[in-house]
Amino acid sequence: MPPVRPKIPTGFDHLDWIVTDDGSRTLWDRSLKESYHSGCGAVAESLVVYLSNSGVLKRLQQGLSTSVLEVGLGTCTTLLLTATLAARYQTPLDYWAVEDRLLPPELIRQLDLPRHIDGVLSENACRLPDDHCVSDSDFALLDTVLESLLRGWHADIRPDGEATSAQHQSEVERELLHIGSSISPGDHRHHSVIDLQLSDEVRLHLIAADITQLKWERLETGPSSHLLGQLDAVFYDAFSPEATPQLWSQPLLSEMYRLLRAGGTLTTYCVKSHVRKTLTGLGFDAQRLPGPVGGKREVLLAVKPD
Ligand SMILES: C[S@@+](CC[C@H](N)C(=O)[O-])C[C@H]1O[C@@H](n2cnc3c(N)ncnc32)[C@H](O)[C@@H]1O
């Protein structure tokens, strides 16, 4: 019998809390009937499935400047973990993230991420494959990075969800964000870019938009075409293919392939055979790896060949 994890109303929309097995919290989306992380541990999952399997943790530890795209920023758990490790190892990190429903900062604050991430880093570190232990305490650093994030969040987003004029749009962002006419009036989702310096080392480029509406083809010919083939890793953390099939389509995954450099990685918790087939069809070398302790048996690593 899978463990019963009680769902506690957050007071926001259709979202409940779940306390996961490593003590960290995640969210449950009542309308989609999906959680933001596996119940085995939100932080542990981020650490194993994204940081470790992608090779990003190793790069940060080796001081190699790194660029990542996270699809589905959600609670900011993976962002905060990656940004804090980059700051700890003093390694430059360019973090791109796409999210079409930014969570209210109060909700992110209630997740108490610094405390939980710090706990998992201290206790759980050596469960990582390879020997990339991350066992120091980083509480102060976590807190600082989260505060930079939430301050920027407050400054750049009005309560109605629209970005203010403080937002900065670089060339690439303007190109990607030619959203088109599919946005109906009164749609409160955000369609903007928030560019934030989270620490000396970490820059966040948050594309607040529906990823399926981005104009990828404009990157090809525009002044930002140099970005193609540059990313070190894609953290593909969309809801499941059953809940959001459009996020697992061949055309969208092919854009991820084009963004990655040779040797770059796409990691995800999803090992569905049709997803693996699509990735292999695009040219990725896809392999299943063991999942985090107590969680999914297998997760996926897809590497763009050299
Ligand atoms: C599994 S959760 C991601 C969890 C996240 N990585 C974290 O650490 O909390 C999936 C996320 O994808 C976002 N999402 C769903 N459809 C999207 C779309 N079409 N474009 C951009 N983001 C989307 C959801 O709002 C949700 O935050």
Side-chain angles (χ1 to χ4, degrees):
M1 282 279 283
V4 178
R5 302 184 182 98
K7 301 188 178 74
I8 308 152
T10 60
F12 288 96
D13 255 358
H14 49 281
L15 296 170
D16 291 336
W17 296 120
I18 301 180
V19 179
T20 67
D21 297 352
D22 65 10
S24 55
R25 291 185 190 181
T26 191
L27 293 172
W28 170 260
D29 184 314
R30 278 198 297 275
S31 47
L32 288 176
K33 296 192 174 29
E34 294 252 332
S35 66
Y36 279 51
H37 298 93
S38 138
C40 77
V43 177
E45 180 187 49
S46 294
L47 195 54
V48 172
V49 180
Y50 299 109
L51 269 290
S52 176
N53 287 356
S54 65
V56 166
L57 175 58
K58 192 172 179 185
R59 288 183 66 86
L60 298 179
Q61 290 176 323
Q62 292 175 339
L64 297 172
S65 171
T66 299
S67 55
V68 171
L69 167 67
E70 181 177 11
V71 176
L73 179 70
T75 61
C76 302
T77 302
T78 306
L79 162 66
L80 188 59
L81 187 57
T82 314
T84 299
L85 291 170
R88 178 206 284 181
Y89 297 116
Q90 298 181 338
T91 302
L93 172 69
D94 229 5
Y95 201 98
W96 295 80
V98 189
E99 173 58 58
D100 74 339
R101 287 180 191 272
L102 292 179
L103 295 172
E106 312 86 89
L107 194 55
I108 293 176
R109 212 181 278 287
Q110 284 171 33
L111 280 163
D112 206 3
L113 289 171
R115 188 163 67 85
H116 292 302
I117 293 180
D118 192 53
V120 175
L121 288 185
S122 309
E123 287 164 23
N124 200 22
C126 291
R127 290 188 184 179
L128 288 175
D130 309 322
D131 50 355
H132 305 132
C133 284
V134 280
S135 52
D136 301 342
S137 168
D138 275 320
F139 186 79
L141 201 50
L142 281 154
D143 217 32
T144 311
V145 175
L146 181 63
E147 281 314 308
S148 308
L149 176 67
L150 294 180
R151 256 201 319 278
W153 207 276
H154 271 301
D156 273 8
I157 306 176
R158 295 199 309 254
D160 61 5
E162 291 297 315
T164 67
S165 56
Q167 69 183 311
H168 162 77
Q169 288 192 4
S170 68
E171 206 65 65
V172 62
E173 293 153 353
R174 271 199 296 278
E175 284 167 26
L176 276 173
L177 282 170
H178 276 262
I179 300 281
S181 56
S182 57
I183 309 301
S184 49
D187 182 341
H188 288 300
R189 287 179 298 175
H190 325 288
H191 310 287
S192 58
V193 175
I194 301 156
D195 213 347
L196 297 175
Q197 193 74 38
L198 298 186
S199 73
D200 287 349
E201 301 79 7
V202 183
R203 186 116 193 123
L204 168 68
H205 315 272
L206 170 53
I207 302 173
D210 179 344
I211 194 170
T212 64
Q213 301 293 318
L214 296 179
K215 302 296 176 200
W216 302 100
E217 68 283 359
R218 296 179 65 100
L219 278 185
E220 192 76 60
T221 49
S224 315
S225 55
H226 62 279
L227 277 173
L228 292 169
Q230 292 304 308
L231 279 185
D232 295 301
V234 173
F235 297 165
Y236 210 82
D237 200 9
F239 286 129
S240 71
E242 292 72 34
T244 54
Q246 67 284 11
L247 267 82
W248 300 88
S249 70
Q250 196 265 7
L252 184 53
L253 290 171
S254 81
E255 298 302 343
M256 303 300 113
Y257 187 87
R258 288 191 328 138
L259 287 168
L260 285 166
R261 64 166 169 81
T265 57
L266 180 148
T267 46
T268 180
Y269 65 88
C270 176
V271 285
K272 290 269 154 66
S273 67
H274 69 92
V275 171
R276 282 186 283 128
K277 239 188 232 155
T278 306
L279 291 170
T280 332
L282 288 168
F284 279 108
D285 291 330
Q287 52 175 302
R288 284 174 281 181
L289 298 177
V293 175
K296 282 191 62 122
R297 198 161 51 90
E298 292 181 322
V299 295
L300 201 71
L301 165 65
V303 182
K304 180 170 176 172
D306 286 325

PDB file of all heavy atoms in Angstrom, residues 119-133:
ATOM      1  N   GLY A 119      18.026  20.782   5.437  1.00  0.00           N
ATOM      2  CA  GLY A 119      17.913  19.485   6.117  1.00  0.00           C
ATOM      3  C   GLY A 119      18.286  18.344   5.180  1.00  0.00           C
ATOM      4  O   GLY A 119      19.040  17.440   5.555  1.00  0.00           O
ATOM      5  N   VAL A 120      17.776  18.403   3.950  1.00  0.00           N
ATOM      6  CA  VAL A 120      18.040  17.298   3.024  1.00  0.00           C
ATOM      7  C   VAL A 120      19.501  17.310   2.590  1.00  0.00           C
ATOM      8  O   VAL A 120      20.140  16.262   2.485  1.00  0.00           O
ATOM      9  CB  VAL A 120      17.093  17.359   1.807  1.00  0.00           C
ATOM     10  CG1 VAL A 120      17.447  16.289   0.785  1.00  0.00           C
ATOM     11  CG2 VAL A 120      15.659  17.188   2.268  1.00  0.00           C
ATOM     12  N   LEU A 121      20.052  18.493   2.361  1.00  0.00           N
ATOM     13  CA  LEU A 121      21.469  18.553   1.974  1.00  0.00           C
ATOM     14  C   LEU A 121      22.335  17.937   3.072  1.00  0.00           C
ATOM     15  O   LEU A 121      23.298  17.233   2.797  1.00  0.00           O
ATOM     16  CB  LEU A 121      21.917  19.999   1.729  1.00  0.00           C
ATOM     17  CG  LEU A 121      21.399  20.688   0.471  1.00  0.00           C
ATOM     18  CD1 LEU A 121      22.042  22.059   0.319  1.00  0.00           C
ATOM     19  CD2 LEU A 121      21.654  19.857  -0.768  1.00  0.00           C
ATOM     20  N   SER A 122      21.965  18.192   4.300  1.00  0.00           N
ATOM     21  CA  SER A 122      22.786  17.679   5.400  1.00  0.00           C
ATOM     22  C   SER A 122      22.614  16.173   5.597  1.00  0.00           C
ATOM     23  O   SER A 122      23.580  15.465   5.812  1.00  0.00           O
ATOM     24  CB  SER A 122      22.433  18.374   6.716  1.00  0.00           C
ATOM     25  OG  SER A 122      22.450  19.760   6.530  1.00  0.00           O
ATOM     26  N   GLU A 123      21.361  15.698   5.515  1.00  0.00           N
ATOM     27  CA  GLU A 123      21.106  14.299   5.890  1.00  0.00           C
ATOM     28  C   GLU A 123      21.176  13.325   4.731  1.00  0.00           C
ATOM     29  O   GLU A 123      21.525  12.172   4.887  1.00  0.00           O
ATOM     30  CB  GLU A 123      19.685  14.173   6.460  1.00  0.00           C
ATOM     31  CG  GLU A 123      19.545  14.760   7.828  1.00  0.00           C
ATOM     32  CD  GLU A 123      18.091  14.970   8.166  1.00  0.00           C
ATOM     33  OE1 GLU A 123      17.240  14.284   7.552  1.00  0.00           O
ATOM     34  OE2 GLU A 123      17.800  15.833   9.022  1.00  0.00           O
ATOM     35  N   ASN A 124      20.810  13.809   3.541  1.00  0.00           N
ATOM     36  CA  ASN A 124      20.486  12.903   2.453  1.00  0.00           C
ATOM     37  C   ASN A 124      21.563  12.873   1.396  1.00  0.00           C
ATOM     38  O   ASN A 124      21.478  12.126   0.439  1.00  0.00           O
ATOM     39  CB  ASN A 124      19.176  13.413   1.822  1.00  0.00           C
ATOM     40  CG  ASN A 124      18.451  12.368   1.036  1.00  0.00           C
ATOM     41  OD1 ASN A 124      18.659  11.183   1.242  1.00  0.00           O
ATOM     42  ND2 ASN A 124      17.627  12.814   0.125  1.00  0.00           N
ATOM     43  N   ALA A 125      22.591  13.718   1.587  1.00  0.00           N
ATOM     44  CA  ALA A 125      23.516  13.974   0.494  1.00  0.00           C
ATOM     45  C   ALA A 125      24.156  12.719  -0.054  1.00  0.00           C
ATOM     46  O   ALA A 125      24.333  12.579  -1.252  1.00  0.00           O
ATOM     47  CB  ALA A 125      24.582  14.928   0.984  1.00  0.00           C
ATOM     48  N   CYS A 126      24.512  11.793   0.818  1.00  0.00           N
ATOM     49  CA  CYS A 126      25.287  10.663   0.323  1.00  0.00           C
ATOM     50  C   CYS A 126      24.424   9.582  -0.308  1.00  0.00           C
ATOM     51  O   CYS A 126      24.929   8.548  -0.720  1.00  0.00           O
ATOM     52  CB  CYS A 126      26.195  10.150   1.418  1.00  0.00           C
ATOM     53  SG  CYS A 126      27.455  11.416   1.710  1.00  0.00           S
ATOM     54  N   ARG A 127      23.143   9.858  -0.448  1.00  0.00           N
ATOM     55  CA  ARG A 127      22.312   8.924  -1.222  1.00  0.00           C
ATOM     56  C   ARG A 127      22.478   9.178  -2.711  1.00  0.00           C
ATOM     57  O   ARG A 127      21.865   8.530  -3.532  1.00  0.00           O
ATOM     58  CB  ARG A 127      20.850   9.120  -0.883  1.00  0.00           C
ATOM     59  CG  ARG A 127      20.508   8.657   0.513  1.00  0.00           C
ATOM     60  CD  ARG A 127      19.012   8.713   0.645  1.00  0.00           C
ATOM     61  NE  ARG A 127      18.592   8.382   1.972  1.00  0.00           N
ATOM     62  CZ  ARG A 127      17.329   8.385   2.343  1.00  0.00           C
ATOM     63  NH1 ARG A 127      16.392   8.719   1.478  1.00  0.00           N
ATOM     64  NH2 ARG A 127      16.993   8.064   3.562  1.00  0.00           N
ATOM     65  N   LEU A 128      23.248  10.193  -3.056  1.00  0.00           N
ATOM     66  CA  LEU A 128      23.408  10.524  -4.465  1.00  0.00           C
ATOM     67  C   LEU A 128      24.215   9.442  -5.167  1.00  0.00           C
ATOM     68  O   LEU A 128      25.151   8.899  -4.591  1.00  0.00           O
ATOM     69  CB  LEU A 128      24.163  11.849  -4.612  1.00  0.00           C
ATOM     70  CG  LEU A 128      23.398  13.089  -4.229  1.00  0.00           C
ATOM     71  CD1 LEU A 128      24.302  14.297  -4.317  1.00  0.00           C
ATOM     72  CD2 LEU A 128      22.219  13.272  -5.169  1.00  0.00           C
ATOM     73  N   PRO A 129      23.851   9.189  -6.449  1.00  0.00           N
ATOM     74  CA  PRO A 129      24.716   8.308  -7.228  1.00  0.00           C
ATOM     75  C   PRO A 129      26.069   9.017  -7.385  1.00  0.00           C
ATOM     76  O   PRO A 129      26.168  10.212  -7.156  1.00  0.00           O
ATOM     77  CB  PRO A 129      23.999   8.200  -8.581  1.00  0.00           C
ATOM     78  CG  PRO A 129      22.864   9.134  -8.549  1.00  0.00           C
ATOM     79  CD  PRO A 129      22.727   9.722  -7.191  1.00  0.00           C
ATOM     80  N   ASP A 130      27.062   8.343  -7.816  1.00  0.00           N
ATOM     81  CA  ASP A 130      28.436   8.869  -7.884  1.00  0.00           C
ATOM     82  C   ASP A 130      28.817   9.335  -6.479  1.00  0.00           C
ATOM     83  O   ASP A 130      28.200   8.955  -5.504  1.00  0.00           O
ATOM     84  CB  ASP A 130      28.565  10.024  -8.892  1.00  0.00           C
ATOM     85  CG  ASP A 130      27.981   9.652 -10.237  1.00  0.00           C
ATOM     86  OD1 ASP A 130      28.153   8.486 -10.635  1.00  0.00           O
ATOM     87  OD2 ASP A 130      27.338  10.497 -10.873  1.00  0.00           O
ATOM     88  N   ASP A 131      29.758  10.180  -6.377  1.00  0.00           N
ATOM     89  CA  ASP A 131      30.086  10.609  -5.013  1.00  0.00           C
ATOM     90  C   ASP A 131      30.091  12.126  -4.925  1.00  0.00           C
ATOM     91  O   ASP A 131      31.052  12.741  -4.498  1.00  0.00           O
ATOM     92  CB  ASP A 131      31.425  10.015  -4.542  1.00  0.00           C
ATOM     93  CG  ASP A 131      32.496  10.243  -5.582  1.00  0.00           C
ATOM     94  OD1 ASP A 131      32.142  10.764  -6.641  1.00  0.00           O
ATOM     95  OD2 ASP A 131      33.654   9.901  -5.337  1.00  0.00           O
ATOM     96  N   HIS A 132      28.979  12.698  -5.368  1.00  0.00           N
ATOM     97  CA  HIS A 132      28.871  14.154  -5.325  1.00  0.00           C
ATOM     98  C   HIS A 132      28.196  14.590  -4.046  1.00  0.00           C
ATOM     99  O   HIS A 132      27.112  15.169  -4.067  1.00  0.00           O
ATOM    100  CB  HIS A 132      28.091  14.673  -6.534  1.00  0.00           C
ATOM    101  CG  HIS A 132      28.668  14.222  -7.814  1.00  0.00           C
ATOM    102  ND1 HIS A 132      27.931  13.672  -8.818  1.00  0.00           N
ATOM    103  CD2 HIS A 132      29.943  14.216  -8.230  1.00  0.00           C
ATOM    104  CE1 HIS A 132      28.730  13.350  -9.813  1.00  0.00           C
ATOM    105  NE2 HIS A 132      29.956  13.673  -9.472  1.00  0.00           N
ATOM    106  N   CYS A 133      28.783  14.258  -2.938  1.00  0.00           N
ATOM    107  CA  CYS A 133      28.160  14.612  -1.666  1.00  0.00           C
ATOM    108  C   CYS A 133      28.050  16.120  -1.514  1.00  0.00           C
ATOM    109  O   CYS A 133      28.923  16.869  -1.926  1.00  0.00           O
ATOM    110  CB  CYS A 133      28.964  14.038  -0.509  1.00  0.00           C
ATOM    111  SG  CYS A 133      28.662  12.292  -0.344  1.00  0.00           S
TER     112      CYS A 133
END
